[in-house]
Amino acid sequence: MKFFIDTANLDQIKEANELGILDGVTTNPSLMAKEGIKGEAAIMAHYKTICELVDGDISAEVISTEFNAIVEEGKKLADIHPNIVVKVPMIKDGIKAIKWFSDNGIRTNCTLVFSAGQAILAAKAGATYLSPFIGRIDDSNWDGVELISQISHIYSIQGYKTEILAASIRNALHIVKCAEAGADVCTCPLDSILGLLKHPLTDIGLAKFLEDAKKTQ
Ligand code: G3P
């Protein structure tokens, strides 16, 4: 399973990248706004900076919702860097645009996915990645990881090539469960990635080893 970081914060991207396990970055308009990035030029420049920091796929989301506008915006985003993946919402014009991008060699990430039916449509349209939002599904009292399992099963028996990119990750256990459920990629906040490191027995064991090491100096 590939690891992406789900943020537009450059310090967090650098910290995750320095771990050596980072395969890419996903952003969305809310994450860009959180960093105070404002205006088309600043947004484009920020994506370029991220592409220069991380050697992997970088999702940049369109804010248009009409076919022609999505295509024009997506083409501009894709021109920033070869690693840009155009993130397109799961709406009717979004599906049409994903098909257009797929036919024209531009890679896509279909976002705001909450059902297996949506996952089938995105795969048929040729999406490179599919982003089911598992945390938001959990928040609405359904099982987000179960959706990853269902989509993974469908894609496997139907031979769909679209990669399942588990998004809206809230904790380290989500990452483990998504790996078990067959996600191809997990995009995570830095805290959830660092959460994978944690085990109290590791801390207790290391303290004991370091204590005993003093006896050998
Ligand atoms: O990038 C999309 C997704 O990861 C959003 O997560 O935490 O806002 O539900 P969240």
Side-chain angles (χ1 to χ4, degrees):
M1 187 174 75
K2 289 186 273 189
F3 269 68
F4 289 0
I5 187 165
D6 194 27
T7 185
N9 181 282
L10 298 180
D11 289 335
Q12 292 187 13
I13 291 170
K14 281 179 205 159
E15 188 175 337
N17 201 33
E18 280 164 9
L19 275 174
I21 52 86
L22 198 63
D23 300 299
V25 181
T26 52
T27 60
N28 62 43
S30 305
L31 294 171
M32 295 294 270
K34 199 171 158 193
E35 299 308 313
I37 318 294
K38 211 172 157 65
E40 189 183 335
I43 291 171
M44 295 288 188
H46 200 73
Y47 285 138
K48 190 162 187 287
T49 304
I50 296 174
C51 290
E52 284 160 0
L53 282 176
V54 177
D55 183 19
D57 287 346
I58 313 297
S59 287
E61 187 158 342
V62 298
I63 51 170
S64 307
T65 54
E66 183 274 323
F67 173 74
N68 290 308
I70 296 174
V71 166
E72 285 316 305
E73 197 185 341
K75 283 197 288 190
K76 273 193 209 167
L77 291 170
D79 278 347
I80 297 172
H81 193 279
N83 288 352
I84 288 282
V85 175
V86 179
K87 205 169 174 187
V88 181
M90 166 46 76
I91 54 175
K92 194 173 172 188
D93 281 38
I95 287 297
K96 281 169 65 180
I98 286 170
K99 176 73 172 99
W100 189 93
F101 288 132
S102 164
D103 289 345
N104 287 275
I106 292 176
R107 296 175 310 138
T108 54
N109 173 356
C110 181
T111 189
L112 289 165
V113 170
F114 295 92
S115 77
Q118 293 176 325
I120 292 170
L121 262 187
K124 286 290 291 176
T128 314
Y129 293 107
L130 177 90
S131 288
F133 278 25
I134 72 161
R136 293 192 197 182
I137 293 173
D138 287 2
D139 293 344
S140 62
N141 213 15
W142 291 70
D143 188 341
V145 171
E146 185 52 40
L147 178 63
I148 300 291
S149 300
Q150 189 185 14
I151 297 170
S152 175
H153 178 63
I154 293 169
Y155 279 12
S156 153
I157 59 175
Q158 296 297 332
Y160 292 141
K161 299 282 176 270
T162 301
E163 292 190 50
I164 304 167
L165 192 168
S168 186
I169 296 291
R170 298 283 159 77
N171 53 54
L173 185 59
H174 264 161
I175 302 175
V176 174
K177 292 286 178 191
C178 284
E180 271 184 335
D184 300 289
V185 191
C186 216
T187 189
C188 325
L190 180 62
D191 281 357
S192 303
I193 298 175
L194 297 179
L196 292 171
L197 289 165
K198 287 183 199 152
H199 198 288
L201 290 179
T202 303
D203 298 337
I204 293 167
L206 181 62
K208 174 81 173 123
F209 284 154
L210 294 179
E211 189 56 34
D212 289 343
K214 288 182 194 152
K215 300 171 194 164
T216 69
Q217 301 305 297

